[in-house]
Amino acid sequence: MTNSPLLRPLHHPHPKFSIITVTYNAGSVLEDTIQSVITQSYKNVEYIIVDGGSKDRTLDIVRQYLDRISIVVSEPDQGLYDAMNKGIRLATGDYLCFLNAGDELHEDDTLLQMVHSLPAGPLPDVLYGETAIVDEEGHFLRMRRHAAPERLTWKSFRKGMMVCHQAFFARRELAVPYDLRYRFSADFDWCIRILKKSHCVHNTHLTLIDYQNEGMSTRHRRASLLERFRIMAHHYGWCSTVLRHIGFVFRLLYKR
């Protein structure tokens, strides 16, 4: 395991985090997200904002914090995941995190706590943790329905999105581009592909993210679920995926 070329020695105790926020007309929710990044007590952070050419006050808000933001790009794109791919290309950190406009790092010392949780030796390939669901004012509603599994592998996602995308920090060297064939669930596929390449996955046992209740996959739930079925069939096989979904249906009917 330690002989993997992707597991380099930890030459310093301060890995660099590239936090990427993708925006489009997000003026009503962006400022709290920015604040949650720039107020982190841990300072080895690169903050990147990739905007799709917003027409509202998004860029006015960004301009207020230009001295605290590493890179700002504002130009038309082909959608959310195309913008995320731009963020991957721009990033220079050890780890990538995609923090949507409206979502926040859980505490001002979240990144510092993550670093303190790291095991001695080489940097893990993936860091992950728990997610709190909040309302539009940032008030806590509940923890995410799927608690992060104690041990995470690519096979964990047979049961669904077991870790929130925002609470999944991947080594930049492993960060493959998002597959633009998927409009709503490319993050699901992205996490599986990264985990397939990972040798060391670290559970921080921390709540990392405050996630707003209404995400894109929630708004387009049926299309998202259909894409997830296709992704699961691709990675786990059609037969296995169909049988598992039949089990989902029976459990749902039993609960009713």
Side-chain angles (χ1 to χ4, degrees):
M1 181 178 296
T2 55
N3 292 327
S4 166
L6 290 173
L7 286 175
R8 55 182 172 78
L10 182 56
H11 296 299
H12 56 79
H14 305 294
K16 181 178 178 180
F17 292 94
S18 293
I19 310 295
I20 302 166
T21 297
V22 169
T23 63
Y24 183 71
N25 291 342
S28 62
V29 296
L30 177 60
E31 191 158 17
D32 286 344
T33 302
I34 293 175
Q35 287 279 356
S36 85
V37 176
I38 66 175
T39 58
Q40 287 295 304
S41 57
Y42 186 78
K43 298 305 180 185
N44 198 10
V45 179
E46 171 183 66
Y47 191 29
I48 299 171
I49 293 181
V50 182
D51 180 70
S54 291
K55 308 300 182 187
D56 67 348
R57 56 190 291 265
T58 294
L59 293 178
D60 293 331
I61 293 170
V62 171
R63 290 186 191 99
Q64 297 176 35
Y65 298 98
L66 277 179
D67 61 329
R68 310 292 297 276
I69 301 170
S70 306
I71 301 172
V72 177
V73 174
S74 182
E75 62 188 15
D77 53 50
Q78 298 176 45
L80 175 68
Y81 296 115
D82 179 46
M84 288 180 167
N85 283 342
K86 289 182 184 180
I88 292 174
R89 292 193 293 270
L90 292 167
T92 63
D94 296 292
Y95 290 101
L96 303 182
C97 168
F98 288 93
L99 192 66
N100 291 344
D103 301 331
E104 300 177 38
L105 293 166
H106 183 62
E107 301 282 0
D108 288 346
D109 64 348
T110 292
L111 296 179
L112 184 62
Q113 290 185 59
M114 290 179 68
V115 171
H116 285 167
S117 81
L118 289 174
L123 286 173
D125 294 320
V126 171
L127 314 177
Y128 70 99
E130 305 290 350
T131 301
I133 307 300
V134 300
D135 63 18
E136 291 181 357
E137 282 76 43
H139 299 140
F140 176 80
L141 296 175
R142 62 186 183 279
M143 295 304 291
R144 189 171 182 264
R145 182 171 64 88
H146 286 305
E150 181 63 30
R151 182 173 178 270
L152 185 70
T153 74
W154 69 276
K155 294 181 180 180
S156 303
F157 284 72
R158 289 176 187 268
K159 300 177 182 178
M161 193 75 174
M162 299 306 293
V163 174
C164 182
H165 181 223
Q166 286 84 338
F168 184 96
F169 288 62
R171 285 278 301 280
R172 181 170 53 88
E173 293 95 331
L174 294 173
V176 294
Y178 290 86
D179 190 333
L180 300 185
R181 291 176 299 174
Y182 303 120
R183 292 184 58 208
F184 306 112
S185 294
D187 51 349
F188 184 68
D189 171 71
W190 188 77
C191 291
I192 295 172
R193 286 191 289 148
I194 287 174
L195 287 168
K196 279 185 170 181
K197 297 163 62 176
S198 297
H199 296 268
C200 179
V201 178
H202 174 61
N203 186 350
T204 64
H205 295 102
L206 299 167
T207 299
L208 303 181
I209 301 296
D210 290 345
Y211 178 78
Q212 271 208 13
N213 204 23
E214 185 76 8
M216 184 173 73
S217 61
T218 306
R219 293 195 301 271
H220 302 90
R221 183 162 181 78
R222 184 172 181 275
S224 175
L225 289 174
L226 287 172
E227 280 193 357
R228 286 195 186 187
F229 182 90
R230 288 169 52 202
I231 291 165
M232 292 173 75
H234 171 74
H235 289 289
Y236 306 121
W238 277 96
C239 184
S240 171
T241 300
V242 169
L243 289 173
R244 183 168 291 276
H245 278 74
I246 290 172
F248 291 158
V249 171
F250 274 113
R251 284 195 293 275
L252 181 62
L253 292 173
Y254 179 76
K255 287 180 181 179
R256 288 181 177 178

